[in-house]
């Protein structure tokens, strides 16, 4: 075999036949998705297999005319269960994506990171998380400030109030293609730069938070015909960037990680806990709570938080 | 065509060819699952199609030897995307389940219920939810009491403390097949019958809740080799039955509805909020909070809660 030249590599069945498997990088068995690392003609490659899904509109047609073979494996009238093979397939079986040549950066990106639950007390927030947030240069959230200043994505904005203290902006999240209403996903960005996480919220922010909730409701009703009781509004902790933002998701968008308890905090719950909190400068319930969440073990906060927890447990035992 | 006799109906391709489609009962497009209502030889039938998933262990083999056709639809080196067709399939394309004849009860069971978010204040809990809970005969949770009394499922119990006030039991949830540790799912049932929901919890319950947490951790480590930081413990609101129970799920079990914010409340959060609550008889933060969650519109609580919310909104406007 001649030495492979990555720049010339064509993607075809003959090339895929040269695949030598190294390891599974990550997988989601329930949706039939797997990332494999290996080599194609001696060049590092990541191959992603994703099962195609039978379009619901074709289901009835498939039952009537599309089957080639049926193996009934359970019959307990009125219940029947069977395995079925399609006679022919107008839609593909798989979506196969290839990254070749794959660099270390690609491999790291698609490798499942080990994760673990951590608990963060109010004291740990002040001592570990606040300095961590301050360690980032302001340029890290420059992209947020550019949106808020109207320099970027201005044509996408659905609602905008420029008041520097209480204003906010509503825009479609990049994850949403704006076609299916049951996949509706918006983001609310506040104007103020003073709120890093939900721990910084106080009862003084209640008017802004209530206005966010009401404005999201009216924006979704007017722009998309989606009623307020079909929406879930939540805030992440830890957030992926330290500038307060609210996620707005249709209730039919179910079961994805970003809505899992611990990671997600309902805006309604946040408002209710602030209503039950003493006025500033007393710390709010959110500031005083121990917050528990899932964190990648390579996240910058993981080791410091685990060490702090262990030292608390040591003291309790002593 | 002769009149169909449901008791004689065989499940085969010829029978499925007679399918006349009435409507989609429910669907989960992301996993390729759809329930269709229709008729098979003039008999009411529910047909469930579920896409098979490519076993991860076969993925590498499929790439090397299993492909018949490849259509590359994007090439932007090093990135390639393609649709692929399998050459032959040792595993079936679909699992097809049929209920025939299908009764009204079957149809209702598989029909997607419309759902909506509701918000329940502390006042609404006392006035609407508590009487609703009391409206059920005690026999409704007799199955729980039978487990707690050792009359049922005794051989499955992993931990047991019979103290009537502070004791509890840990057992595998029926949803868990006990083979894959990343699908680990346990249930904790408390002995006391005095706690209907998390609103009834007070700081006096903290020793029991802390002991539940510690005992779940040690039980999972000893029995299954699963470390405590790989577990998510949560309580549902509304629960499916009104006797306090805690769900224990491995963090790799992702993205299912029962862990969604609003429905699920982390035991860690519950403990933290009770620690910040005044001692009884003062109501706890959990008792005073407005709780927001998804509810089926046919749930017995839905209409009363919506009407109560509307009357609050009327008053606020007035």
């Amino acid at each position: 075999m001649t030495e492979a030249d990555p720049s010339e590599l064509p993607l075809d069945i003959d090339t895929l036949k040269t695949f030598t498997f190294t390891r599974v990088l990550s997988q989601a068995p329930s949706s039939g998705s797997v990332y494999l690392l290996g080599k194609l003609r001696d060049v590092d490659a990541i191959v992603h297999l994703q099962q195609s899904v039978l379009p619901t509109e074709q289901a009835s047609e498939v039952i009537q005319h599309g089957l080639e073979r049926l193996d009934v494996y359970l019959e307990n009238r009125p219940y029947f269960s069977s395995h079925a093979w399609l006679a022919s397939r107008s839609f593909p079986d798989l979506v196969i994506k290839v990254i070749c040549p794959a660099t270390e950066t690609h491999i790291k990106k698609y490798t499942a990171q080990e994760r673990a639950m951590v608990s963060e007390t109010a004291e740990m927030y002040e001592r570990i998380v606040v300095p961590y947030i301050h360690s980032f240069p302001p340029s890290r959230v420059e992209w947020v400030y550019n949106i808020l200043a109207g320099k970027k994505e201005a044509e996408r904005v659905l609602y905008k109030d420029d008041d520097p203290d209480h204003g906010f902006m509503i825009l479609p999240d990049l994850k949403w293609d704006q076609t299916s209403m049951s996949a509706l996903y918006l983001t609310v960005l506040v104007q103020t730069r003073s709120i890093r996480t939900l721990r910084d919220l106080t009862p003084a922010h209640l008017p802004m938070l209530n206005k966010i909730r009401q404005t999201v409701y009216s924006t979704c009703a007017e722009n998309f015909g989606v009623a307020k009781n079909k929406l879930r509004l939540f805030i992440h902790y830890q957030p992926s960037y330290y500038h307060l933002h609210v996620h707005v998701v249709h209730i039919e968008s179910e079961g994805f990680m970003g809505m899992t308890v611990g990671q997600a905090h309902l805006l309604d719950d946040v408002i209710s806990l602030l209503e039950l909190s003493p006025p500033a400068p007393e710390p709010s319930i959110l500031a005083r709570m121990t917050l528990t969440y899932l964190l990648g073990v390579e996240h910058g906060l993981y080791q410091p938080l685990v060490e702090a927890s262990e030292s608390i447990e040591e003291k309790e035992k002593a």
Side-chain angles (χ1 to χ4, degrees), chain A:
Chain A
M1 199 185 286
T2 55
E3 186 75 4
D5 176 353
S7 69
E8 295 299 323
L9 189 85
L11 180 65
D12 54 27
I13 291 181
D14 284 339
T15 302
L16 290 176
K17 277 186 178 161
T18 70
F19 185 70
T20 53
F21 170 73
T22 309
R23 66 173 188 272
V24 174
L25 296 180
S26 59
Q27 55 182 306
S30 64
S31 63
S33 162
V34 57
Y35 285 91
L36 303 180
L37 178 66
K39 285 180 188 289
L40 290 172
R41 300 195 197 280
D42 299 323
V43 182
D44 286 328
I46 294 170
V47 181
H48 176 222
L49 298 191
Q50 171 76 56
Q51 192 90 351
S52 305
V53 164
L54 181 73
T56 302
E57 313 81 62
Q58 292 188 28
S60 171
E61 174 68 18
V62 160
I63 296 168
Q64 278 182 280
H65 304 296
L67 299 175
E68 176 178 278
R69 181 178 148 203
L70 198 73
D71 287 354
V72 178
Y73 62 87
L74 183 151
E75 184 176 324
N76 183 6
R77 288 161 192 265
Y79 303 101
F80 303 84
S81 301
S82 62
H83 289 127
W85 282 257
L86 295 170
S88 74
R89 287 149 291 145
S90 52
F91 52 93
D93 298 303
L94 299 168
V95 176
I96 299 185
K97 295 184 182 173
V98 172
I99 303 175
C100 184
T103 63
E104 273 310 307
T105 310
H106 290 126
I107 294 169
K108 188 166 181 188
K109 179 174 175 188
Y110 292 104
T111 300
Q113 189 181 170
E114 189 189 344
R115 295 168 305 161
M117 297 297 285
V118 294
S119 281
E120 171 199 301
T121 63
E123 184 274 330
M124 284 153 74
Y125 178 73
E126 289 303 331
R127 184 162 56 85
I128 298 167
V129 180
V130 171
Y132 173 81
I133 296 170
H134 285 159
S135 73
F136 295 118
S139 60
R140 177 111 166 202
V141 285
E142 200 60 38
W143 65 274
V144 176
Y145 301 156
N146 284 337
I147 295 173
L148 289 170
K151 292 185 203 164
K152 296 278 182 187
E153 303 190 34
E155 69 292 350
R156 291 164 36 80
V157 169
L158 298 166
Y159 174 88
K160 178 170 189 270
D161 169 355
D162 288 336
D163 183 284
D165 296 318
H166 313 291
F168 55 90
M169 202 174 250
I170 304 175
L171 67 170
D173 191 279
L174 290 172
K175 285 188 280 298
W176 185 38
D177 65 5
Q178 297 192 53
T179 55
S180 165
M181 288 311 131
S182 65
L184 179 143
Y185 201 135
L186 310 180
T187 304
V188 183
L189 297 169
V190 300
Q191 283 288 350
T192 175
R193 302 182 181 191
S194 64
I195 310 170
R196 298 159 298 191
T197 74
L198 48 74
R199 290 216 188 254
D200 287 335
L201 290 168
T202 73
H205 295 113
L206 280 168
M208 180 181 75
L209 296 174
N210 279 310
K211 190 172 177 198
I212 287 174
R213 184 163 59 177
Q214 289 310 320
T215 311
V216 164
Y217 289 164
S218 57
T219 300
C220 287
E222 287 159 23
N223 288 269
F224 308 112
V226 174
K228 66 180 186 180
N229 62 4
K230 300 291 181 183
L231 297 171
R232 227 187 232 108
L233 284 67
F234 53 88
I235 297 171
H236 280 154
Y237 196 86
Q238 295 283 336
S240 56
Y241 53 96
Y242 294 98
H243 178 100
L244 187 74
H245 55 287
V246 179
H247 302 260
V248 179
V249 175
H250 195 287
I251 58 169
E252 295 298 323
S253 299
E254 287 188 345
F256 66 88
M257 267 305 283
M259 301 194 313
T260 303
V261 63
Q263 274 62 53
H265 296 262
L266 274 189
L267 179 62
D268 296 294
D269 289 356
V270 167
I271 288 173
S272 184
L273 289 175
L274 291 173
E275 286 171 346
L276 296 174
S277 292
E282 285 293 300
S284 74
I285 292 170
L286 291 163
R288 293 179 64 205
M289 272 184 81
T290 293
L291 291 170
T292 300
Y293 49 87
L294 199 65
L295 208 59
V297 299
E298 287 167 46
H299 191 289
L301 287 170
Y302 182 76
Q303 274 306 327
L305 291 176
V306 168
E307 279 159 27
S309 293
E310 282 168 359
S311 104
I312 292 172
E313 282 172 25
E314 294 290 311
K315 272 182 211 153
E316 281 171 0
K317 277 185 201 156

